Amino acid sequence: MLELRNVVKRFGGVPVVDGVDLMIPDGAFVALLGPSGCGKTTLLRLIAGFLSPDAGEISVGGKRLSAPGAVVPPERRRMSMIFQSYALWPHMTVEQNVAYGLRLRRLPRDEIARRVATICAAVQLDTLMQRYPGELSGGQQQRVALARSLVVEPQTLLLDEPLSNLDANLREEMRFEIRRLHDEFRYTTVYVTHDQGEAMATADLIVVLRGGRIEQTGTPEDIYGRPRSEFVARFVGGANVLPGRFAGLDAPFSIRLEDVALLSAAPAAGIAPIEGTVVRRVFLGSARDYVVEAGGEVVRITTPPQIDVQPGERVWLGFPPERCHRLEPTASGGE
Ligand code: ATP
């Protein structure tokens, strides 16, 4: 169990991580998700031991690793960190890059060779062992960074936006790769990203951060389907945030774009629909994206492509009660 208790980090007096409490079960895959500047990287560096907290403590398996003024250094934690830039040694081959951490630990030569071969096979680098980083694609370099981090058999793998330098296709492939390796070796993973799709595709647990504080923690289904605040509803996947009266509620609520019913005629029975006018329609191939003005609000809706209504047409919007999530009031600003 990786445990953070009331962790605070300030830069120039300004709290960047502001009282974070978090329990990460052994072997879990956790994503720290939030907009730029919310403190994700700082939190990861605190976990790694690169930064000392101003208050609170971080422990693993009940053993305290960080407290103000008392930090076990990164090399003495069983943690590996992968940076956005990969940070490979340009003058070393793939094999030498991957073996580096084991050489530092002065392991016997044949043990090093065995472990390097096993991990390089697991990340499909076995045919590229004698290449230099400059002779590899971005995705291959990412695999070297993964192999180099995993070969030392960490208890915890920390990843800071590891896919941001890759193109869209490769990013998607590497997401699955990172999850597959996690499932194969069962270390604890903490993955920093601002991309909700990446967090949802990889993690068991998503921690949404805002202004240095945890806004919500939950499974991808929880965070997406039952956002507790307007901030989470909007940040994770985009959602409509609408006044309660739209759904017969007394508080604002959120509803996903695909959960709003778009009707081209007022239904005879059922939930009282809200009348509106289509202001924009975009064809996305597998779906259509609509913007509808209704009751003084702008509502976004995603429909199957068969539902085809022209801009300017009158429509009726239905808000199924089981899809409407009451929101807790959110203080403005703070990101
Ligand atoms: P991004 O997605 O843009 O990397 P982030 O959520 O990872 O953002 P952090 O890198 O943790 O955010 O930074 C949080 C805040 O702390 C930012 O406002 C940043 O400018 C500030 N900050 C980070 N490191 C330092 C530092 N060493 N000295 C002063 N301020 C810092």
Side-chain angles (χ1 to χ4, degrees):
M1 181 85 90
L2 169 61
E3 196 175 349
L4 283 75
R5 258 187 290 166
N6 190 30
V7 173
V8 175
K9 181 70 193 172
R10 298 186 197 91
F11 288 120
V14 180
V16 167
V17 170
D18 196 6
V20 166
D21 285 300
L22 186 60
M23 298 250 261
I24 301 179
D26 194 29
F29 195 128
V30 173
L32 303 179
L33 176 67
S36 183
C38 71
K40 307 179 291 290
T41 298
T42 304
L43 195 53
L44 202 69
R45 294 171 68 83
L46 284 161
I47 295 172
F50 290 115
L51 292 172
S52 168
D54 291 314
E57 61 176 61
I58 300 171
S59 57
V60 174
K63 186 169 168 256
R64 199 172 72 178
L65 295 182
S66 293
V71 174
V72 174
E75 65 278 11
R76 289 188 29 225
R77 301 178 177 217
R78 289 193 50 205
M79 296 182 179
S80 286
M81 184 150 166
I82 298 187
F83 302 91
Q84 224 177 74
S85 59
Y86 317 145
L88 302 177
W89 300 108
H91 61 291
M92 289 187 194
T93 62
V94 168
E95 185 173 17
Q96 290 164 342
N97 264 283
V98 176
Y100 185 74
L102 300 179
R103 293 230 169 87
L104 277 187
R105 285 163 210 218
R106 303 190 183 286
L107 263 69
R109 201 179 272 259
D110 53 343
E111 164 91 7
I112 293 179
R114 190 181 56 73
R115 281 169 64 170
V116 168
T118 305
I119 204 73
C120 286
V123 301
Q124 293 152 30
L125 282 172
D126 29 359
T127 58
L128 305 171
M129 303 294 276
Q130 301 314 318
R131 297 244 194 118
Y132 288 88
E135 302 167 339
L136 299 174
S137 71
Q140 290 163 344
Q141 290 181 41
Q142 182 59 261
R143 286 171 195 275
V144 179
L146 273 166
R148 192 180 55 176
S149 303
L150 297 181
V151 79
V152 297
E153 297 177 357
Q155 203 169 38
T156 310
L157 180 65
L158 307 173
L159 301 119
D160 189 4
E161 304 261 7
L163 307 183
S164 53
N165 292 331
L166 305 179
D167 67 41
N169 286 334
L170 201 52
R171 242 190 343 248
E172 203 162 304
E173 183 191 323
M174 288 305 292
R175 281 178 194 176
F176 294 115
E177 186 69 5
I178 286 172
R179 180 68 214 200
R180 185 185 67 74
L181 289 166
H182 170 90
D183 292 344
E184 188 174 339
F185 295 101
R186 298 313 303 180
Y187 40 80
T188 304
T189 301
V190 185
Y191 188 109
V192 160
T193 181
H194 63 268
D195 179 329
Q196 56 104 8
E198 228 164 89
M200 296 197 30
T202 53
D204 305 310
L205 201 65
I206 297 177
V207 177
V208 182
L209 287 170
R210 179 192 193 201
R213 293 169 184 258
I214 295 181
E215 184 86 359
Q216 188 171 352
T217 301
T219 62
E221 287 82 0
D222 275 340
I223 298 284
Y224 188 83
R226 288 175 289 282
R228 274 211 299 264
S229 64
E230 177 169 346
F231 176 78
V232 176
R234 288 191 196 279
F235 187 73
V236 182
N240 292 292
V241 174
L242 297 167
R245 64 187 155 82
F246 272 49
L249 296 170
D250 56 5
F253 69 99
S254 75
I255 186 164
R256 294 284 161 204
L257 312 195
E258 65 275 22
D259 289 336
V260 181
L262 180 70
L263 311 163
S264 48
I271 329 134
I274 306 283
E275 197 176 331
T277 306
V278 173
V279 293
R280 200 182 75 197
R281 176 191 59 170
V282 179
F283 178 56
L284 298 172
S286 60
R288 280 182 207 275
D289 217 16
Y290 285 97
V291 174
V292 173
E293 251 172 39
E297 300 286 331
V298 172
V299 184
R300 287 188 56 200
I301 305 155
T302 302
T303 71
Q306 306 82 283
I307 296 185
D308 188 7
V309 190
Q310 301 287 330
E313 278 187 42
R314 219 145 59 111
V315 289
W316 285 263
L317 304 182
F319 300 92
E322 69 280 10
R323 304 287 175 173
C324 300
H325 302 285
R326 274 178 62 112
L327 298 172
E328 288 168 9
T330 312
S332 59
E335 287 90 276

